[in-house]
Structure formats: structure tokens, C-alpha cells
Amino acid sequence: MTLLSAVGALTLGVGLAGPASSAPADPDTNPSVERKAAATTKADQQRVRDYWTPERMKSAKPRDLSNKGQLKKSLKGKPVAPTAGAEAVQAAPQPTLGKVFFTLGGANYVCSGTATNSGNGDVVTTAGHCLNEGPGAYATNFAFVPAYDNGSRPYGTWVAETLLTTTQWKNSGDFNYDVGFAVMAENTSGQSLTQVVGGRQIGFDLGYRLPFESYGYPAASPYDGQRLWKCSGTSTTDTFGGSTDHGLPCSMTGGSSGGGWFTNGVLNSVNSFKYNADPNTMYGPYFGSTVRSVYTTAAAS
């Protein structure tokens, strides 16, 4: 990944997005947006629902949180000292938070995601690496299970019609832009996702050093991916590798990727990666204008 020099504490203009979002960005003219059709027919959507049997869900592998061994490219400073808040705590299932299932390179994986307010009522926010190899192929069999809890699917299995990410992630695997959005198909009753489970507000350009609660379904040891977990604390800037990401003390592991970070109830980042030499800090991308462009496109799809 391309890591930039560490940024200082910034306070930028507040920007929130909800159901009445602004005019969509055109993906054909906006270089920040990449999109791929997923399960677009009713038959294909049912095939994906059928694919995710309880056995396949349980055996799916956690998508890695590491930075793919590229840590040596840019070491600019020291890791953030771990704090008392690093250990995740188990959280009660929430309808807007769920587990993501998908196939990449012939293998089944799990991540985490958030049902997000949007004009179409169908957007799930996750990490870019949970729907695209960065760079490389897009995921197939992409599904979202709200409030997943030890195999229980109280709100059913939702299937993606369209997958979107940033150009920076798709073309070069840049972790500064490791964000993805999935537009889910209506369920078999013709309902949109947020009609059934509700949605979380998303915000952009909210600045750094914010109080966050981060959620996810960590599945790599010592976790098993069957329950929702939460980390809490105040974010830092990346003094270790020099990314533009937020850092948060957190013990969650692979499988929590894509889980939402909330500041004052507003979705403002996702679990993205950890440095191999700094396992106590989770990093999440800054939600600025590029991420806003991808979200706006997804919300109008």
C-alpha cells in the first residue's frame, strides 16, 4: 500500500448523509468510484441465499486484517502505546450491524458490515477488501446477515446487486481508501434492507481524534466469529506507518474487517487493517470526499 506521511489533528466541516442524499456522482465520469454488478436477477439472488448454508457460513475464513506484509515500506515513528481500552467486549446483537459473507479466489470469507441510511434503503457499508481483492477481482456470493448471532439469522440473508469501492482501493490496494459499499437486493417480500432493520447515519469530513465505538465479528483466534464485539476509545492519527487513517486501540481480529466505527452515533470509518508489529491498534480509513462520492453513487443505485 502507499502510505503517506502522518497527518496532524484536523477539524474539517461536518457532513452528514441520510435518506435525502445529494445528487449521485456519475461513476463513468468520477474517477473515485468503481462498481461491479453482482446478483442482478431473482434467480441469481436465490442461488446466493441457497449457497450460504449454515455449514458454509461456519466454515468461511476470516478476511485478513494485516497490511499484507508491506509494513517495511514506510516506518515513520513509533506505535501508539496500548491503552486499557484495547480489549474488545462482547456486545448484544443489533439489527443494523451484521456479518458479511462472500467468495474470493474460490474461497469463502467473512467480514462485518453496517446497514446504512440511503435514498434506496439498500446500502451496506464495509471494507474495500471485503468485496474486492485490491487490486484484483470482485467478490461473488456477497451476502449480509443483520444481527447474526451464533448461526441465528433473525432478519434473513440479504444479497448484493451491486458492489462499489474507491478507485484507489481497486487499482492499487491503497488502505487509505479501503472502503466498500454493497447495494442489496430487496428481500423475497419486496422490502428494502433498512425498511426491515433500520439504518445508521453516515458522516464525512468529521476530523480526527474522535471518540469511537467500533463493532465487528472477529473470527480469527481467540475469537470464533459467532458473536458481535465492540472496542471503544478516542482515535489517534497514524504515527507508525504514516497512513491517513484513524487508529483505535482494539483487540479484534480478522473477520471484524468492515465493521462500523461510530462517533456520537454517526458511522465514520470501518475496521480496515493492523500493522504486524502493532497488534493492539486497529486502523480505519478517513471518510472524506472520495468515500462520500462512492457512498452517494451507492445510495442512488
Side-chain angles (χ1 to χ4, degrees), residues 17 44 150 195 208 217 258 294 299:
D44 215 16
N150 198 30
Q195 280 183 278
Y208 287 87
Y217 286 84
V294 185

Side-chain angles (χ1 to χ4, degrees), residues 6-297:
V7 296
L10 302 178
T11 305
L12 303 179
V14 174
L16 300 179
S21 55
S22 57
D26 183 349
D28 295 327
T29 60
N30 189 332
S32 300
V33 181
E34 301 287 339
R35 66 193 292 175
K36 171 73 173 175
T40 57
T41 68
K42 298 294 184 184
D44 215 16
Q45 290 156 16
Q46 189 58 50
R47 179 195 61 76
V48 175
R49 291 187 196 97
D50 294 341
Y51 180 83
W52 287 113
T53 62
E55 294 75 23
R56 282 200 176 109
M57 284 187 169
K58 194 163 187 179
S59 64
K61 300 184 291 186
R63 189 75 167 132
D64 194 9
L65 269 171
S66 78
N67 66 344
K68 301 183 179 180
Q70 299 183 52
L71 178 62
K72 293 182 180 179
K73 278 192 172 183
S74 180
L75 289 177
K76 299 180 182 294
K78 298 179 180 180
V80 175
T83 70
E87 286 300 319
V89 297
Q90 193 169 312
Q94 297 187 32
T96 56
L97 307 180
K99 198 165 177 178
V100 167
F101 298 86
F102 58 98
T103 304
L104 265 178
N108 292 329
Y109 290 98
V110 291
C111 276
S112 304
T114 303
T116 308
N117 286 341
S118 62
N120 57 21
D122 292 318
V123 171
V124 169
T125 304
T126 188
H129 71 266
C130 297
L131 53 78
N132 181 273
E133 290 179 334
Y138 279 90
T140 58
N141 300 321
F142 189 101
F144 176 67
V145 179
Y148 179 95
D149 188 55
N150 198 30
S152 173
R153 305 184 227 181
Y155 301 97
T157 302
W158 298 75
V159 179
E161 286 185 319
T162 309
L163 303 175
L164 302 94
T165 189
T166 63
T167 297
Q168 293 90 333
W169 176 258
K170 179 183 179 294
N171 290 350
S172 59
D174 186 342
F175 277 82
N176 291 317
Y177 300 94
D178 180 21
V179 185
F181 297 95
V183 180
M184 314 309 291
E186 293 179 345
N187 66 8
T188 53
S189 299
Q191 297 167 300
S192 294
L193 174 65
T194 59
Q195 280 183 278
V196 176
V197 303
R200 303 299 292 265
Q201 193 85 340
I202 189 169
F204 306 94
D205 289 318
L206 301 186
Y208 287 87
R209 304 190 185 281
L210 302 172
F212 276 112
E213 290 186 335
S214 164
Y215 290 87
Y217 286 84
S221 181
Y223 306 95
D224 63 4
Q226 297 306 302
R227 308 285 185 186
L228 182 69
W229 291 77
K230 176 179 77 171
C231 290
S232 302
T234 299
S235 67
T236 62
T237 53
D238 183 1
T239 61
F240 191 50
S243 74
T244 61
D245 290 25
H246 304 279
L248 189 71
C250 188
S251 62
M252 287 195 285
T253 59
S256 66
S257 290
W261 291 30
F262 301 91
T263 181
N264 297 318
V266 176
L267 177 61
N268 193 233
S269 190
V270 296
N271 296 320
S272 175
F273 74 97
K274 287 186 172 183
Y275 292 110
N276 297 330
D278 184 18
N280 293 304
T281 305
M282 179 78 73
Y283 288 89
Y286 185 82
F287 278 18
S289 59
T290 296
V291 177
R292 183 197 290 268
S293 293
V294 185
Y295 162 77
T296 304
T297 304

